[in-house]
């Protein structure tokens, strides 16, 4: 047998079957403290810095902890909190402290690890009592769609099992990805998402106190006496020590240097160099020990640690390939891997190449090993290695697709480049200029972090912009907006051509809108339309088509922001211009005219002017039918869209028998298109099925109406599971329509109640964010709910709900 085999039996409730694997792995949050033996601590002091060892107890941050505790206790089935700060500020340690407190209070605590490649199944039991805390580290490195997938599953768990869920995300950055995720969580999942920055040291914790506490703990862990006389470094008040990790590193180095009877360095880079020297001493000792020496020489082990820090955990066969790529072939790859695994045991036994931790130390290893930094030649510095630059080039070289380790490597280089200029100019930028697809492999967050590096090389951003998807992309839309935001001012300054300025503003507006930043998209969209208008006044033959296109786009954007009257003005002008162009050159401009006519119908209908919407809708159908007869591959999808709209507006005018013909034709065309290309056309098919179900119900064809409505819900639920940001509002519409059809046919009020209640749950937050767009739909869904309550015999509840609706705002709508 080939493929997935799924057997289901003995089920007493609903079952969701899918062969898709989630891009993450959940496991119990580690609560057992991993102690480090004295001898191990002396060999590799950096181990004492790792959060899982909890050598230094968590102190201070009282107001931060109180804020988290208040958040934990707020009402709500699922709440999300982002804890963000620069690397080394103590996010992971604070999360561990919160996890311990929750576990002691009877909560179940999970940690979720990003795992794009499926590595095997696992089982996690739901909490027997209490709530569930889920901790996800490096959230800013997850694709937004993967975080949405996680929240979708947790939300479903809350709804189906009644489990209270709190999700704690940890991240360095909030730029771009967090506003987009927060808005989508609120609108698509009805999940409240809030953020909490961890302020730098000095505002809540005295650095001297923190140094002395860490010093004493490290001295105990390494069995060092007389450490209490060690004083904080004189530069402790400088910005370099604003992070908890920096102070802890200073204390650790002071204790170890005291044990060795040497002078402790005080510069941040020198602290890293000192700890890296201790790593090197460890490699040397292993290689030269009298009993069972490890065969890998220290210089090869150092290069392997550098390599593993870039690639992170990989399967053994991949590690073998990596070693050959970068010229580490002696001793044998198997020996090098085994020796590295002995020194740096992997967190996952199925992998090798555990990265050097903490992250800050690993990034400094990359930077200090790369020639060109300003500390070369320092007495207490780490020797650079000319092998490093060539190794990165070989590591990231590819012919067709970026290698699987590229995403992590580029992410590490971006984070390192934010603190070390030479890594940016000598390593990262040249690689990305040559292979910009590597940035796409690293993901939207890394691209956004790259785009916001002070003084970032614009040629690099240009190269990446050239390979970004030309259409919308859920995981790259935010990055594309960040890149156009960074590049547009420079591109505008580089030319005085007003037409080029208009194109740049239009592209910027489009990218911002795709990222969900519609408020930010409006000014450049208006600027583009204004420039094209001025150009068209001087040279209409050249620029009227561009003006019409920008006005059409502006109308869509204004409508999405709820500014419907202004949207109508732009759409009407776009139709006027394109009609004039099509009269002169129909072959070139009739498709554009049909598009603008279709948009105009939507704008008029949105304002309740359905009689007026009918004429442009019918004209759009006529044009597109003629175009589709000549070129069906190009124009059948457009024809189906216009037929769908025409059916809606005929139905709203009470001409339901007439409406049935275009509505059924739209379903027929879109079903045929979806059979060939479901990824592109299933959403359209669901929309037409939704409208057809409502229409059939109005015509009294009950069984057919239920079949169409149920199919629409099924498709849109599946789409919303994959991409909730795009499709949850549509799912709400179909759920409402499904409930409405049941009410209309006076059947199965229990199922109607479930569907309509779910629709209201989705519409609520959407109506708060965009009342001009969603308030009417929410109001109408509540009206349907009142009818359902009547059908269930709950007349008092129905009457009370209608009184509340009357006290609010009047009006309503049929679902469609």
């Amino acid at each position: 047998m080939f493929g997935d085999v799924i057997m289901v039996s003995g089920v007493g409730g609903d079952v969701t079957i899918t062969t898709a694997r989630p891009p993450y792995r959940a496991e119990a949050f580690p609560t057992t403290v991993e102690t480090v033996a004295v001898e191990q601590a002396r060999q590799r002091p950096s181990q004492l810095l790792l959060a899982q060892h909890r050598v230094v107890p968590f102190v201070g941050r009282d107001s931060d902890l109180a804020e988290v505790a208040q958040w934990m206790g707020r009402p709500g089935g699922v709440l999300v909190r982002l804890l963000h700060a620069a690397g080394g500020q103590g996010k992971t340690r604070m999360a561990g402290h919160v996890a311990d407190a929750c576990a002691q209070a009877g909560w179940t605590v999970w940690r979720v690890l990003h795992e794009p490649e499926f590595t095997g199944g696992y089982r996690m039991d739901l909490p027997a009592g209490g709530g569930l805390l889920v901790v996800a580290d490096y959230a800013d490195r997850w694709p937004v769609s993967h975080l949405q997938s996680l929240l979708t599953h947790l939300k479903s768990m809350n709804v189906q099992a009644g489990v209270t869920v709190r999700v704690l995300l940890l991240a360095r950055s909030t730029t771009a990805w967090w506003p987009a995720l927060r808005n989508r969580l609120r609108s698509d999942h009805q999940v409240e998402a809030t953020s909490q920055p961890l302020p730098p040291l000095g505002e809540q914790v005295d650095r001297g106190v923190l140094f002395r506490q860490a010093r004493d703990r490290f001295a105990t862990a390494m069995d060092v006496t007389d450490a209490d006389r060690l004083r904080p470094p004189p530069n402790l008040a400088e910005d370099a020590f604003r992070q908890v990790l920096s102070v802890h590193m200073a204390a650790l180095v002071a204790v170890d240097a005291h044990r060795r009877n040497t002078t402790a360095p005080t510069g941040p880079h020198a602290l890293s160099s000192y700890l890296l020297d201790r790593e090197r001493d460890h490699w040397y000792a292993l290689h030269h020990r009298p009993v069972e020496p490890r065969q890998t020489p220290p210089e090869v082990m150092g290069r392997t640690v550098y390599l593993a820090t870039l690639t992170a955990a990989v399967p053994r066969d991949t590690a073998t390939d990596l070693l050959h790529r970068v010229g580490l072939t002696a001793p044998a790859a198997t020996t090098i891997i085994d020796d590295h695994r002995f020194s740096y045991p992997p967190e996952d036994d199925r992998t090798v190449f555990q990265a050097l931790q903490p992250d800050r130390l690993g990034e400094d290893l990359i930077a200090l090993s790369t020639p060109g930094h300003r500390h070369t030649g320092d007495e207490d510095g780490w020797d650079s290695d000319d092998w490093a630059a060539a190794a990165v080039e070989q590591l990231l070289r590819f012919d067709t697709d970026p290698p699987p380790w590229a995403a992590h490597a580029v992410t590490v280089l971006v984070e390192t480049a934010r603190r070390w200029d030479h890594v940016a100019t000598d390593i990262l930028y040249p690689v990305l200029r040559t292979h910009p697809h590597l940035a796409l492999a690293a993901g939207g967050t890394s691209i956004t972090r790259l785009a916001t590096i002070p003084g970032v090389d614009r040629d690099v951003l240009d190269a990446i912009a050239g390979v970004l998807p030309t259409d919308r992309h859920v995981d790259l839309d935010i990055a594309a907006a960040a890149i156009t935001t960074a590049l547009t001012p420079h591109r505008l300054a580089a030319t005085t051509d007003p037409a080029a300025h208009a194109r740049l503003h239009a592209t910027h507006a489009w990218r911002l809108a795709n990222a969900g930043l519609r408020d930010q998209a409006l000014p450049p969209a208006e600027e583009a339309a204004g420039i094209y208008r001025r150009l068209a006044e001087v040279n209409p033959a050249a620029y009227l088509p561009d003006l019409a296109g920008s006005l059409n786009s502006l109308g869509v954007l204004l409508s999405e922001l709820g500014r419907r009257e202004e949207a109508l003005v732009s759409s009407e002008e776009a139709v006027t211009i394109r009609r004039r162009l099509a009269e002169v050159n129909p072959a070139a401009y009739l498709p554009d005219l049909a598009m603008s006519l279709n948009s105009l119908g939507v704008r008029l209908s949105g304002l309740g002017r359905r009689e007026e919407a009918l004429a442009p809708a019918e004209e759009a159908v006529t044009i597109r039918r003629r175009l589709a007869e000549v070129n069906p591959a190009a124009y059948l999808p457009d024809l189906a869209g216009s037929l769908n709209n025409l059916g809606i507006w005929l139905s709203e005018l009470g001409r339901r028998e007439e409406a049935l013909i275009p509505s059924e034709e739209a379903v027929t065309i879109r079903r045929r298109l979806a059979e060939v290309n479901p990824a592109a056309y299933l959403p359209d098919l669901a929309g037409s099925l939704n409208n057809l179900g409502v229409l059939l119900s109005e015509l009294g064809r009950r069984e057919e109406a239920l079949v169409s409505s149920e199919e629409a819900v099924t498709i849109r639920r599946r789409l919303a599971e994959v991409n909730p940001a795009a499709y949850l509002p549509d799912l709400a519409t179909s759920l409402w329509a499904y409930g409405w059809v049941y009410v209309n046919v006076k059947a199965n009020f229990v199922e109607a109640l479930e569907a309509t209640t779910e629709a209201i749950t989705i519409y609520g937050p959407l109506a708060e964010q965009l009342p001009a767009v969603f308030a009417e739909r929410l109001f109408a869904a509540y009206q349907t709910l009142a009818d359902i309550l009547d059908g269930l015999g709950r007349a008092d509840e129905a009457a009370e709900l209608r009184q509340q609706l009357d006290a609010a705002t009047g009006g309503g709508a049929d679902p469609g």
Side-chain angles (χ1 to χ4, degrees):
M1 302 184 69
F2 299 88
D4 297 284
V5 179
I6 302 172
M7 295 186 293
V8 181
S9 65
V11 176
D14 294 341
V15 176
T16 299
I17 298 175
T18 177
T19 58
R21 275 86 174 201
Y24 51 81
R25 169 179 290 271
E27 60 186 32
F29 194 94
T31 56
T32 304
V33 177
E34 303 175 15
T35 57
V36 182
V38 171
E39 191 58 32
Q40 289 179 318
R42 289 183 168 190
Q43 290 172 354
R44 290 186 56 221
S46 64
Q47 293 180 90
L48 300 179
L49 296 170
L50 302 184
Q52 64 262 33
H53 299 313
R54 305 188 190 184
V55 176
V56 181
F58 188 85
V59 295
R61 301 288 190 192
D62 293 338
S63 60
D64 294 318
L65 289 171
E67 191 174 341
V68 172
Q70 184 182 26
W71 165 74
M72 292 283 298
R74 295 181 64 176
V78 180
L79 298 179
V80 176
R81 164 71 49 117
L82 170 66
L83 198 64
H84 63 92
Q89 200 67 284
K91 300 182 294 294
T92 304
R93 287 165 51 80
M94 182 168 166
H97 186 80
V98 172
D100 287 345
C102 287
Q104 292 173 10
W107 283 56
T108 298
V109 185
W110 294 350
R111 70 173 178 179
V112 181
L113 307 175
H114 190 224
E115 190 179 75
E117 299 296 326
F118 183 73
T119 58
Y122 60 93
R123 174 189 176 94
M124 294 298 292
D125 294 325
L126 290 177
L132 171 66
L133 172 66
V134 179
V135 180
D137 206 348
Y138 302 103
D140 49 348
R141 299 185 185 182
W142 288 47
V144 171
S145 62
H146 291 181
L147 287 170
Q148 289 181 128
S149 175
L150 170 64
L151 267 296
T152 298
H153 292 163
L154 293 175
K155 176 70 174 180
S156 176
M157 182 189 305
N158 162 255
V159 171
Q160 296 178 18
V163 178
T164 298
V165 180
R166 298 292 179 265
V167 184
L168 192 61
L169 305 177
L170 312 180
R172 290 187 179 184
S173 164
T174 61
T175 304
W177 75 273
W178 171 245
L181 177 65
R182 180 189 60 214
N183 293 339
R184 289 171 179 176
L185 292 180
R186 290 173 178 173
S187 63
D188 301 344
H189 298 275
Q190 300 77 59
V191 169
E192 180 185 345
T194 55
S195 63
Q196 177 180 341
L198 274 189
L201 289 179
E203 299 178 26
Q204 295 189 30
V205 180
D206 183 271
R207 300 183 193 184
V209 172
L210 187 63
F211 174 91
R212 287 186 286 273
Q213 182 198 49
R215 174 201 65 193
D216 295 343
R217 292 288 181 158
F218 292 142
T220 299
M222 290 193 286
D223 194 18
V224 175
T225 58
D226 297 330
D228 56 344
R229 61 188 180 86
L230 299 175
R231 297 291 176 260
N235 57 338
L236 194 65
E238 295 179 359
D239 284 347
F241 291 96
R242 300 179 78 210
Q243 286 77 38
V244 175
L245 179 60
S246 299
V247 177
H248 283 185
M249 288 174 67
L252 178 61
V253 169
V255 171
D256 190 70
H258 174 66
R259 183 180 72 85
R260 293 169 174 271
N261 198 28
T262 62
T263 302
T266 58
H269 76 280
L271 295 173
S272 292
S273 295
Y274 182 95
L275 292 174
L276 291 173
D277 276 333
R278 302 292 74 77
E279 299 289 324
R280 181 160 48 195
D281 290 345
H282 176 57
W283 308 331
Y284 185 89
L286 288 176
H287 184 60
H288 292 283
R289 64 183 181 178
V291 180
E292 296 182 356
R294 310 306 295 193
Q295 297 302 307
T296 304
E299 61 273 16
V300 175
M301 180 59 73
R303 291 172 174 178
T304 305
V305 172
Y306 179 104
L307 178 64
T309 301
L310 278 176
T311 65
V314 294
R316 179 175 284 269
D317 58 347
T318 301
T320 300
D321 178 29
L322 288 167
L323 290 170
H324 283 283
R325 272 178 172 254
V326 298
L328 297 179
T329 56
T334 299
T335 300
I336 297 175
I337 293 170
D338 288 343
D339 288 350
H340 182 274
R341 202 172 194 272
F342 179 85
S343 297
Y344 302 90
E347 294 179 0
D348 186 339
D349 290 338
R350 296 166 297 180
T351 63
V352 297
F353 276 13
Q354 178 68 34
L356 179 63
Q357 295 177 322
D359 291 341
R360 161 77 173 273
L361 187 61
E363 292 164 10
D364 286 350
L365 168 67
I366 300 297
L368 292 168
S369 298
T370 302
H373 58 79
R374 59 183 177 275
H375 303 295
T376 300
D378 286 5
E379 183 177 347
D380 53 3
W382 173 265
D383 294 334
S384 61
D385 186 350
D386 59 1
W387 165 90
V392 172
E393 183 181 352
Q394 291 301 314
L395 180 69
L396 297 177
R397 175 179 47 80
F398 66 95
D399 295 324
T400 53
D401 297 316
W405 54 81
H408 189 273
V410 172
T411 298
V412 171
L413 289 172
V414 168
E415 292 302 322
T416 306
R418 294 182 69 86
R419 291 189 297 114
W420 294 90
D421 293 342
H422 74 294
V423 172
T425 57
D426 299 347
I427 300 293
L428 180 62
Y429 295 162
V431 166
L432 292 181
R433 276 195 296 266
T434 304
H435 300 293
H437 283 92
L438 288 168
L440 272 59
T445 299
S446 289
I447 295 174
T448 303
R449 295 280 284 172
L450 169 71
T452 54
I453 292 177
V456 61
D457 188 329
R458 293 196 295 274
D459 289 341
V460 173
L461 298 185
D462 272 322
I464 297 171
V467 298
L468 284 169
T470 55
D471 296 323
R472 297 192 61 178
H473 190 291
V474 66
D475 288 329
L476 293 175
D477 283 341
I478 297 169
I483 284 186
T484 55
T485 297
L487 286 177
T488 298
H490 300 287
R491 290 175 170 176
L492 289 169
T495 178
T496 58
D497 180 7
H501 279 214
R503 287 192 294 271
L504 288 168
H505 285 302
T507 300
H508 190 203
W510 179 67
R511 290 295 195 185
L512 289 168
N514 287 348
L517 304 173
R518 295 183 180 88
D519 286 331
Q520 297 179 37
L522 187 58
E526 291 175 325
E527 184 68 20
I531 295 173
Y532 278 132
R533 186 181 301 282
R534 291 191 293 273
L535 290 170
E537 289 172 356
V538 177
N539 189 348
Y543 294 110
L544 272 178
D546 294 320
L547 173 59
S550 65
L551 288 168
N552 198 79
S553 299
L554 181 59
V556 172
L557 186 57
L558 288 166
S559 178
E560 289 174 340
L561 289 169
R563 296 164 61 172
R564 292 176 177 170
E565 291 288 353
E566 297 170 77
L568 178 61
V569 173
S570 292
S571 296
E572 286 178 328
E573 187 177 0
V575 167
T576 299
I577 295 172
R578 283 177 163 170
R579 188 181 300 283
R580 192 158 67 244
L581 292 170
E583 289 171 354
V584 176
N585 189 346
Y589 296 113
L590 268 179
D592 292 336
L593 173 60
M595 177 176 66
S596 287
L597 287 164
N598 196 69
S599 296
L600 177 59
V602 174
R603 303 289 89 77
L604 289 165
S605 177
L607 288 167
R609 297 162 60 176
R610 297 183 179 90
E611 286 280 2
E612 297 172 73
L614 196 58
E618 289 176 328
E619 187 178 359
V621 167
T622 300
I623 295 172
R624 285 176 163 173
R625 190 181 298 282
R626 192 159 66 246
L627 292 169
E629 289 171 355
V630 178
N631 189 347
Y635 296 111
L636 265 180
D638 296 333
L639 173 60
S642 290
L643 288 165
N644 185 71
N645 291 339
L646 178 59
I648 292 171
W649 297 323
L650 285 168
S651 176
E652 289 175 344
L653 291 169
R655 297 161 60 177
R656 295 186 178 91
E657 290 290 350
E658 295 176 69
L660 188 60
I661 296 173
S663 296
E664 288 182 325
E665 187 179 359
V667 168
T668 299
I669 295 172
R670 284 176 164 173
R671 190 180 299 282
R672 192 160 67 243
L673 293 168
E675 289 171 354
V676 177
N677 189 348
Y681 296 113
L682 267 179
D684 296 334
L685 173 60
S688 288
L689 285 166
N690 184 81
N691 298 328
L692 181 60
V694 172
L695 180 57
L696 288 168
S697 174
E698 291 171 332
L699 290 169
R701 295 163 62 169
R702 300 176 179 180
E703 294 300 326
E704 297 170 82
L706 288 172
V707 170
S708 289
S709 296
E710 186 172 9
E711 187 179 359
V713 169
T714 300
I715 294 172
R716 281 178 163 171
R717 191 179 296 283
R718 191 160 72 244
L719 292 169
E721 288 172 356
V722 176
N723 188 348
Y727 299 115
L728 261 178
D730 293 336
L731 173 60
T733 298
S734 284
L735 286 164
W736 166 35
Y738 192 40
W740 185 87
V741 168
Y742 267 124
V743 171
N744 201 43
V745 302
K746 295 181 172 57
N748 205 337
F749 287 102
V750 173
E751 190 160 349
L753 177 64
E754 181 179 345
T756 305
T757 300
E758 186 179 355
I760 289 171
T761 302
I762 297 173
Y763 275 144
L766 293 171
E768 290 180 4
Q769 290 186 350
L770 285 175
V773 178
F774 292 105
E776 184 179 354
R777 301 185 200 180
L778 176 62
F779 184 84
Y782 271 118
Q783 289 180 314
T784 301
L785 178 60
D787 294 338
I788 294 170
L789 292 172
D790 271 333
L792 290 168
R794 296 158 60 177
D796 291 344
E797 295 175 65
E800 182 180 354
L801 177 57
R802 290 192 178 99
Q803 287 177 356
Q804 293 173 351
L805 294 174
D806 289 341
T809 178
D814 288 336

